[in-house]
């Protein structure tokens, strides 16, 4: 590259940062990259050369980094949430000017984003909080981007964001969500919905394995079949692949059977449930999924309780065909509930804070690139386009008809779970 100033900067070069820098460069934007450790800068510059001689240049200090970006500067930071974000902003803003823009692309608690925006305001530096979903692969090939901040800043960023986001049939999976805090909030709720969706799949897996008695291969084929229906989604797709994956370490059995039944949780799921309580929004599917993670984490306690607390010794004699049909219907209904609850939380907070978040746009930007992308999001988008004041997704005429048609299947599955000793807190 020549000495021409770069279009955009990216500071923080863990894999997500590297991949998003490469994504922007691949779409024709020259990118200056920076990091506390020089080795990550060198690695990213070398990757850029190896992946098509992409227009990325390195820097050796915050001052050098800022000096290589064209004014008004547009800088994306991708560092660990919390104090590292404050430290990075302090180091960079020292060398920035009025009209420059900082975008935090991490999973940050939205009040922190609001605070940082207020702290930078006297300097005339615009601050944008932008949720990024899609993991490392999405960052490289097209994520869902959820920005919130000053409209002037978004307008300056829009050409970059719309080109680098995931693309679906009706456009890029990004757009202006509202003032500072709105972007982080929508991403937070996205993660809360993700918790719920994964818990629903886990509960269905439990029924298939322990009530129906299906093998991993049979379950994989079932989920793959469901992924060709209204349940089509990224999470259903990868569930099928995971269940079919044979263990290549021991050479025996399937990977899923070697995974410890113990998980943790990050802040976003907990924050979503806290926000639901603060806004008086019922979100039982999402709350139950968080509780399930807390129970899962207490592995030692569960082992001690297992011989003491007893459940049913026999499972009901049921038709396999009927259970599979009912499970498909129940999973779809509960999945609709997870999205309905998340969108209701966003609506309540948007109304309270006058953010004017467009729920149809939320659905659109979740249609590609992100973890909760699913076929039903097109119908969710249409529901809020048709009625912008829709009080809850479940009362949209199209969704209400589907729920009414399937609710007996849903009820039969919950009854079966209770009779069989299978926990189904999110399906309920």
């Amino acid at each position: 590259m020549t000495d021409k100033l770069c279009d955009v900067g990216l500071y923080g070069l863990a894999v997500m940062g590297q991949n998003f820098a490469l994504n922007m460069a691949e779409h024709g934007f020259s990118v200056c990259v920076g990091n506390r450790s020089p080795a990550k800068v060198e690695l990213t510059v070398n990757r850029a050369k190896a992946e098509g001689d992409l227009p990325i240049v390195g820097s050796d200090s915050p001052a050098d980094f800022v000096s290589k970006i064209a004014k008004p500067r547009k800088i994306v930071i991708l560092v660990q949430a919390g104090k590292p974000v404050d430290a990075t902003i302090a180091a960079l803003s020292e060398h920035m000017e009025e009209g420059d823009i900082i975008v935090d692309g991490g999973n940050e608690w939205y009040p922190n984003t609001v605070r940082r925006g207020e702290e930078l305001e006297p300097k005339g530096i615009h601050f944008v909080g932008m949720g990024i979903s899609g993991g490392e692969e999405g960052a490289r090939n097209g994520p869902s981007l959820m920005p919130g901040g000053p409209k002037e800043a978004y307008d300056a960023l829009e050409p970059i964001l719309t080109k680098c986001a995931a693309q679906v049939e009706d456009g890029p999976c990004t757009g202006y969500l509202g003032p500072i805090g709105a972007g982080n909030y929508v991403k937070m709720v996205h993660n809360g919905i993700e918790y719920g969706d994964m818990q629903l799949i886990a509960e269905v897996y439990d029924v298939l394995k322990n009530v129906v008695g299906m093998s991993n291969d049979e379950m994989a084929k079932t989920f793959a079949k469901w992924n060709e229906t209204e349940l089509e989604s990224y999470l259903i797709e990868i569930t099928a692949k995971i269940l079919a994956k044979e263990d290549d370490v021991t050479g025996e059995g399937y990977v899923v059977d070697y995974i410890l039944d113990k998980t943790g949780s990050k802040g976003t799921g907990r924050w979503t449930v806290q926000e639901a309580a603060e806004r008086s929004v019922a979100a039982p599917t999402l709350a139950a999924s968080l509780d399930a993670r807390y129970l899962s984490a207490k592995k030692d306690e569960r082992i001690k309780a297992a011989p003491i607390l007893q459940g049913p010794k026999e499972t009901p004699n049921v038709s396999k065909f009927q259970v599979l049909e009912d499970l498909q219907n129940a999973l779809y209904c509960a999945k609709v509930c997870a999205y309905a609850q998340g969108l209701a939380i966003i609506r309540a907070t948007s109304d309270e804070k006058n953010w004017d978040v467009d729920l149809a746009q939320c659905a659109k930007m979740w249609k590609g690139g992100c973890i909760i992308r699913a076929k039903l999001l097109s119908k969710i988008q249409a529901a809020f386009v048709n009625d912008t004041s829709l009080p809850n997704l479940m009362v949209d005429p199209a969704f209400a008809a589907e729920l009414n048609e399937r609710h007996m299947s849903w009820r039969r599955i919950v009854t079966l779970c209770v009779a069989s000793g299978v926990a189904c807190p999110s399906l309920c």
Side-chain angles (χ1 to χ4, degrees):
M1 289 183 62
T2 66
D3 292 333
K4 180 183 175 182
L5 294 176
C6 292
D7 298 315
V8 62
L10 193 143
Y11 198 93
L13 296 174
V15 178
M16 279 285 288
Q18 292 178 35
N19 283 0
F20 194 57
L22 292 163
N23 179 348
M24 291 190 288
E26 192 166 62
H27 282 91
F29 301 100
S30 55
V31 184
C32 179
V33 294
N35 196 73
R36 284 193 308 165
S37 60
K40 292 286 182 68
V41 175
E42 183 180 359
L43 173 61
T44 306
V45 171
N46 289 338
R47 281 189 64 189
K49 291 178 181 177
E51 296 183 25
D53 199 21
L54 300 175
I56 288 183
V57 298
S59 61
D60 57 22
S61 69
D64 183 46
F65 171 75
V66 172
S67 73
K68 291 181 176 178
I69 304 167
K71 301 177 184 179
R73 301 176 182 92
K74 295 175 278 291
I75 294 173
V76 179
I77 60 174
L78 277 166
V79 299
Q80 185 178 354
K83 292 182 180 179
V85 176
D86 290 313
T88 301
I89 291 172
L92 297 178
S93 63
E94 181 181 349
H95 310 286
M96 296 175 69
E97 301 174 15
E98 184 176 349
D100 290 348
I101 302 165
I102 297 177
V103 181
D104 176 17
N107 278 333
E108 187 57 88
W109 178 222
Y110 80 97
N112 288 338
T113 300
V114 174
R115 169 180 60 80
R116 289 169 184 141
E118 292 171 347
E119 291 171 351
L120 287 168
E121 196 170 353
K123 299 180 181 180
I125 298 173
H126 299 304
F127 190 61
V128 174
M130 181 172 73
I132 301 178
S133 178
E136 297 168 5
E137 181 181 345
R140 180 65 181 88
N141 300 312
S144 172
L145 300 173
M146 297 162 252
K151 185 61 165 57
E152 178 185 348
Y154 173 78
D155 290 342
L157 294 164
E158 185 179 29
I160 298 174
L161 302 185
T162 54
K163 283 190 177 182
C164 297
Q167 306 293 316
V168 292
E169 68 278 359
D170 55 346
C173 295
T174 190
Y176 183 62
L177 282 170
I180 191 71
N184 291 110
Y185 200 93
V186 169
K187 175 57 164 62
M188 173 195 75
V189 173
H190 162 287
N191 287 18
I193 295 170
E194 181 184 330
Y195 272 41
D197 208 345
M198 289 193 289
Q199 177 62 23
L200 291 170
I201 291 171
E203 292 172 15
V204 168
Y205 162 83
D206 201 354
V207 176
L208 291 173
K209 180 180 175 69
N210 295 312
V211 179
V212 182
M214 296 177 75
S215 66
N216 290 324
D217 191 52
E218 289 174 320
M219 287 188 286
K221 290 176 180 176
T222 297
F223 277 101
K225 182 179 178 181
W226 285 347
N227 199 48
E228 298 173 356
T229 70
E230 71 282 355
L231 286 173
E232 179 187 336
S233 66
Y234 174 70
L235 287 172
I236 295 290
E237 175 189 345
I238 63 170
T239 299
K241 292 178 179 178
I242 291 165
L243 289 168
K245 175 68 174 174
E246 295 180 358
D247 186 57
D248 53 10
V249 175
T250 65
E252 298 180 4
Y254 292 79
V255 170
V256 68
D257 295 321
Y258 290 92
I259 297 173
L260 183 68
D261 61 330
K262 179 178 180 180
T263 190
S265 59
K266 296 181 180 179
T268 47
R270 183 178 71 250
W271 296 337
T272 301
V273 175
Q274 288 174 342
E275 281 295 300
E278 286 290 335
R279 312 297 165 201
S280 300
V281 175
T285 306
L286 312 188
S289 70
L290 183 65
D291 288 341
R293 287 183 178 233
Y294 293 153
L295 287 169
S296 170
K298 296 183 180 297
K299 175 71 173 176
D300 293 341
E301 188 175 317
R302 288 190 287 112
I303 290 173
K304 292 177 182 177
I308 301 171
L309 301 174
Q310 299 179 355
K313 291 185 169 52
E314 297 180 2
T315 58
N317 184 16
V318 291
S319 162
K320 178 179 177 180
F321 174 82
Q322 185 67 57
V323 172
L324 291 178
E325 181 180 326
D326 285 349
L327 274 173
Q328 180 179 343
N329 288 331
L331 181 54
Y332 180 75
C333 291
K335 195 179 182 83
V336 170
C337 288
Y339 283 92
Q341 292 163 26
L343 290 165
I345 296 168
I346 294 172
R347 163 68 62 78
T349 303
S350 176
D351 287 348
E352 181 178 313
K353 297 184 177 295
N354 296 314
W355 282 347
D356 196 27
V357 175
D358 183 348
L359 297 186
Q361 186 176 53
C362 291
K364 180 194 169 186
M365 62 177 55
W366 292 342
K367 284 163 62 174
C370 73
I371 306 301
I372 64 170
R373 60 185 184 266
K375 184 177 182 179
L376 64 81
L377 279 162
S378 291
K379 290 197 291 187
I380 294 174
Q381 180 184 0
F384 287 104
V385 167
N386 293 335
D387 183 357
T388 57
S389 61
L390 185 69
N392 189 286
L393 181 65
M394 296 172 67
V395 298
D396 166 73
F399 280 109
E402 290 183 321
L403 294 172
N404 288 336
E405 180 183 354
R406 301 163 191 249
H407 75 91
M408 287 309 299
S409 289
W410 192 5
R411 295 174 191 277
R412 282 194 294 268
I413 288 301
V414 172
T415 302
L416 177 63
C417 288
V418 172
S420 303
V422 171
C424 61
S426 285
L427 277 170
C428 287

